[in-house]
Amino acid sequence: MPTTDRYPLQFPVVALVTSAGGLEALTEVLAPLPAGLAAAVLVSQHSSPEHPSRLAAILDQRTALPVRDARNNDPLVTGTVLIAPPARHLLVTSQARLGLIDTGALPPARPSADLLLATLAVTCGPRALAVVLTGRGSDAQAGIRAVSHCGGTVYAQDATTSAHYGMPGAAIDTTLVDQILALPDIAPAILAHVENHQPPP
């Protein structure tokens, strides 16, 4: 297991990745999280690059955490939710900042959960938590392999509470998911992860 302090990000980062049915799932996960959460939260939901997204504005009304679209070169900060904007892949850079790159044409899925999770894995190591929520397709499989390889943690939504089981099911098929959780159980599990992965005093 890699040691935590070799990684540039010294606080937990939670990446919520989803596709179809994601708004309801994201609402249920984010609503119970407290203001001042001692972790950064990143959200990537597949969306059309041709239309503006109101995801950040909607979620900002449904959680105590501030929510906004990510901007290129944003620093990662605790207690804030940053959303991947349409037509841009969201990356975590070696300077522990966010990078946005154009998605180009399909495939791959966009924004790509795989790209987000793989870059998060190599900058956050054991403090990375990938949460695969409802969605079609298999995006996130490669990303969770990277998270697991770097000592991070992976949760997946269960079949019963997923509107679409493609993404969670594909994640579970890797056999690298640490916990398979019903949707109402994900927020408490995130809080436990954050509590257990704080930097040393």
Side-chain angles (χ1 to χ4, degrees), residues 28-95:
E28 186 151 353
V29 171
L30 292 172
L33 300 182
L37 180 73
V41 181
L42 302 175
V43 172
S44 180
Q45 180 179 17
H46 296 163
S47 59
S48 169
E50 299 170 358
H51 304 288
S53 172
R54 296 191 63 249
L55 182 62
I58 293 169
L59 292 175
D60 191 52
Q61 301 301 312
R62 300 182 179 183
T63 177
L65 294 164
V67 183
R68 64 170 174 82
D69 286 330
R71 297 183 293 256
N72 194 53
N73 210 38
D74 268 342
L76 278 162
V77 293
T78 60
T80 302
V81 181
L82 298 176
I83 309 283
R88 311 297 295 277
H89 293 310
L90 181 63
L91 312 176
V92 182
T93 73
S94 59
Q95 291 78 35

Side-chain angles (χ1 to χ4, degrees), residues 147-166:
V147 170
S148 178
H149 180 78
C150 293
T153 303
V154 181
Y155 300 158
Q157 188 176 348
D158 69 3
T160 301
T161 62
S162 292
H164 301 276
Y165 193 53

Side-chain angles (χ1 to χ4, degrees), residues 126-176:
R127 292 197 181 98
L129 172 59
V131 182
V132 184
L133 300 172
T134 176
R136 301 187 184 99
S138 60
D139 190 23
Q141 268 196 338
I144 65 172
R145 289 187 175 101
V147 170
S148 178
H149 180 78
C150 293
T153 303
V154 181
Y155 300 158
Q157 188 176 348
D158 69 3
T160 301
T161 62
S162 292
H164 301 276
Y165 193 53
M167 283 177 63
I172 292 164
D173 285 346
T174 67
T175 72
L176 298 172

